[in-house]
């Protein structure tokens, strides 16, 4: 990857910040990154990283090779209509807006534009994200390879068909909140049994972290690891029985399904909105 590649962000929220932090741990210099947002509220943390900031989306596009569009889904049509006349063949436009389809992006951008749809998640902030991207009809394999090389310090980066992006939104984009809810419940269970709250939350977070790392690094199926914790007649199988009685497995599957369907609904709305 060219270390002089110019990177731009339209939008200064958590996703943009997490991706920017990851990119800067690679070969990209802060001087080659610029971020725009309508207000200065979130720009200070980018400036602390040495990144230039502006209120002009057009300035970002004109000075960048790769542009991450990291705004709320309903703002994507407005933003792309504003900058479209400045998008050229040298640009790669990467949208991280939930539900905004590649068809919508390509309709809003000039003909033959390179568009990629990316779904990161909040742990990008600590370079432990799970990111999935899909290439548009004019994005080549080398464009995907460039994006992967840019993002590899952000966490796990995978490519797949666009149909998987909404599923990934439900699984991992929203899934982190499901994990936080479970961690909170673990800690509250310990508080109920008499442990101080601060200690309970510290142990719960470490439990989630340790379990996740072991799951990732061992390569074992979750069911195998779960069975390794259980001993006949022991504490864990009693606790798991209670979780199953509460429907935790079915509820979690339904939560992923609901979040996925919502992402698809947002996609249909974005497609309809771009044609008005």
């Amino acid at each position: 990857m060219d270390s002089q590649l110019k990177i731009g962000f339209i939008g200064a929220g958590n996703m943009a910040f997490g991706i920017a932090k990851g990119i800067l741990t690679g070969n990209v210099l802060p001087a080659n990154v610029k971020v725009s947002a309508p207000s200065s509220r979130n720009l200070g943390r980018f400036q602390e990283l040495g990144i230039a900031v502006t209120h002009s989306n057009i300035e970002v596009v004109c000075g960048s090779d790769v542009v991450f569009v990291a705004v709320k889904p309903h703002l994507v049509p407005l933003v792309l209509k504003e900058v479209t006349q400045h998008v050229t063949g040298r640009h790669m436009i990467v949208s991280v807006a939930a539900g905004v389809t590649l068809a919508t992006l390509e309709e809003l951008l000039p003909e033959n534009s390179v568009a990629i749809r990316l779904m990161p998640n909040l742990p990008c902030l600590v370079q432990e994200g799970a990111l999935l991207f899909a290439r548009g009809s004019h994005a080549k394999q080398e464009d995907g390879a460039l994006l992967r090389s840019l993002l590899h310090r952000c966490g796990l980066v995978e490519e797949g068909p666009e149909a998987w992006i909404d599923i990934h939104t439900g699984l991992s984009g929203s899934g982190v909140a499901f994990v936080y809810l479970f961690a909170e419940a673990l800690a509250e269970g310990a508080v109920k049994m008499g442990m101080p709250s601060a200690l309970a939350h510290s142990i719960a977070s470490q439990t989630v972290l340790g379990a996740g790392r072991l799951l990732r690094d061992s390569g074992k199926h979750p069911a195998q690891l779960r069975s390794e914790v259980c001993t006949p007649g022991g504490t864990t199988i009693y606790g798991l029985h209670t979780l199953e009685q509460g429907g935790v497995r079915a509820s979690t599957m339904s939560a992923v399904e609901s979040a996925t369907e919502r992402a698809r609904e947002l996609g249909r709305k974005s497609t309809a909105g771009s044609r008005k």
Side-chain angles (χ1 to χ4, degrees):
M1 187 186 69
D2 183 1
S3 63
Q4 294 305 308
L5 196 70
K6 306 291 187 183
I7 311 296
F9 290 88
I10 297 177
N14 283 332
M15 289 300 98
F17 186 62
I19 292 171
K21 283 178 66 179
I23 286 174
L24 291 182
T25 62
N27 293 337
V28 177
L29 300 173
N32 292 330
V33 183
K34 183 170 284 189
V35 180
S36 65
S39 77
S40 300
R41 187 180 62 202
N42 291 327
L43 293 177
R45 56 182 176 172
F46 288 91
Q47 290 175 301
E48 290 172 3
L49 296 176
I51 295 173
V53 301
T54 179
H55 296 306
S56 170
N57 297 333
I58 292 172
E59 182 182 339
V60 165
V61 170
C62 291
S64 302
D65 303 301
V66 179
V67 179
F68 289 88
V69 180
V71 299
K72 298 293 185 185
H74 70 280
L75 295 175
V76 171
L78 293 172
V79 167
L80 291 186
K81 285 174 183 175
E82 175 194 3
V83 303
T84 187
Q85 69 185 61
H86 303 281
V87 175
T88 68
R90 76 181 173 96
H91 286 104
M92 179 194 301
I93 307 298
V94 183
S95 169
V96 300
V100 179
T101 65
L102 286 168
T104 296
L105 295 172
E106 291 178 343
E107 186 174 326
L108 292 166
L109 291 167
E111 191 175 359
N112 298 324
S113 292
V114 174
I116 294 180
R117 186 177 169 193
L118 170 71
M119 180 49 58
N121 67 354
L122 191 61
C124 284
L125 287 170
V126 291
Q127 283 78 64
E128 288 289 358
L131 304 91
L132 182 69
F133 69 89
R135 289 181 284 129
S137 56
H138 305 292
K140 298 177 179 150
Q141 192 169 344
E142 52 262 39
D143 296 316
L146 172 61
L147 183 62
R148 191 188 292 271
S149 70
L150 268 177
L151 298 175
H152 77 281
R153 297 293 183 92
C154 295
L156 176 70
V157 184
E158 298 286 357
E159 179 179 359
E162 186 177 18
W164 293 357
I165 297 288
D166 290 332
I167 303 171
H168 177 71
T169 302
L171 167 65
S172 193
S174 300
V176 292
F178 308 156
V179 174
Y180 296 148
L181 178 66
F182 186 72
E184 181 184 12
L186 279 177
E188 288 177 346
V191 171
K192 180 181 179 184
M193 301 312 295
M195 182 178 285
S197 179
L199 179 60
H201 281 89
S202 179
I203 292 175
S205 64
Q206 183 61 36
T207 300
V208 171
L209 174 64
R213 287 192 64 176
L214 183 58
L215 177 60
R216 180 189 66 186
D217 296 346
S218 70
K220 294 179 180 179
H221 191 279
Q224 183 179 350
L225 287 172
R226 175 173 51 80
S227 69
E228 290 175 4
V229 183
C230 292
T231 55
T235 61
T236 305
I237 193 64
Y238 270 69
L240 285 170
H241 185 207
T242 300
L243 287 173
E244 293 288 9
Q245 286 178 319
V248 67
R249 185 190 302 263
S251 294
T252 303
M253 292 173 66
S254 295
V256 173
E257 180 181 9
S258 295
T260 300
E261 291 297 347
R262 176 56 176 164
R264 290 171 176 168
E265 181 184 353
L266 290 172
R268 289 190 290 270
K269 287 181 177 179
S270 79
T271 300
S274 70
R275 290 173 179 166
K276 289 182 181 178

